[in-house]
Amino acid sequence: MVVGLTVSGGAAMGTITAALLHLHGQAVLSLFTSDPAVLGLALSAWPVVALSQPLTTLAFSYDGLLFGANDFRFCALLMVISAHCNDCLRWLLDLLCLALTRRSPGHRLVMSSAPAAFIIWALTPRMGLRGIWAGLACLMTLRALLAAIRISSRSGPWSIYKDPSKGLSERS
């Protein structure tokens, strides 16, 4: 019950936030700066920022559930897996590039591991600030997806849900 309410509440708040940011983006941005160049740059990325809000609130909702269940070890693992999913994608694309062009992708092979680094690295030259936000949205999507899988697996602290006859107060 708590899981469903938290996730649906987070999704609803993220959707509302996205709609409000989409409708009132310029007004929100003008609270922070009046510089036309900064406003122009921020407005170019604003659609991606607004669209990423439901994913971000879902990831944070799942964080709250995981923290509340003292599932901190999984939270740490979640970030490592999210970072390395991007690394694996980068390595696969590098190998594909090598196979198709017969040229080494060079510096991409030694790029350091960081959450959504590949997405940010690949999209920023073409998309600028929008590419950075797209990479962050990718990271949040991975985090939310992996947390949802963890909770629905009913393993670790979530094993209490395998036997509905046990209440939360019986968990030690």
Side-chain angles (χ1 to χ4, degrees):
M1 174 114 178
V2 170
V3 172
L5 286 173
T6 302
V7 171
S8 60
M13 289 306 298
T15 303
I16 291 168
T17 302
L20 290 173
L21 290 177
H22 179 71
L23 294 172
H24 303 290
Q26 191 155 5
V28 171
L29 290 172
S30 66
L31 294 172
F32 297 97
T33 185
S34 59
D35 185 329
V38 174
L39 285 170
L41 181 62
L43 283 171
S44 73
W46 204 252
V48 180
V49 173
L51 288 173
S52 70
Q53 296 310 300
L55 300 169
T56 301
T57 57
L58 273 178
F60 292 151
S61 296
Y62 281 119
D63 281 348
L65 290 165
L66 294 169
F67 294 167
N70 291 325
D71 205 356
F72 299 111
R73 181 173 285 148
F74 181 77
C75 289
L77 181 64
L78 179 70
M79 286 305 294
V80 170
I81 290 171
S82 295
H84 288 290
C85 283
N86 288 302
D87 286 343
C88 291
L89 177 63
R90 184 188 73 236
W91 280 88
L92 288 173
L93 290 175
D94 283 346
L95 290 174
L96 181 64
C97 176
L98 182 61
L100 294 176
T101 65
R102 303 281 188 236
R103 292 188 321 203
S104 172
H107 67 278
R108 289 187 302 212
L109 290 172
V110 296
M111 193 169 106
S112 65
S113 173
F118 174 74
I119 302 297
I120 292 170
W121 174 83
L123 296 179
T124 300
R126 289 187 297 275
M127 295 177 65
L129 190 56
R130 288 177 296 159
I132 292 171
W133 277 96
L136 292 173
C138 176
L139 174 67
M140 291 301 179
T141 301
L142 285 169
R143 289 182 55 222
L145 178 66
L146 293 173
I149 291 169
R150 167 63 168 198
I151 292 170
S152 64
S153 75
R154 299 182 176 172
S155 60
W158 304 99
S159 62
I160 187 86
Y161 294 109
K162 284 185 179 176
D163 183 2
S165 65
K166 292 184 179 178
L168 289 176
S169 60
E170 294 179 32
R171 191 179 88 188
S172 50

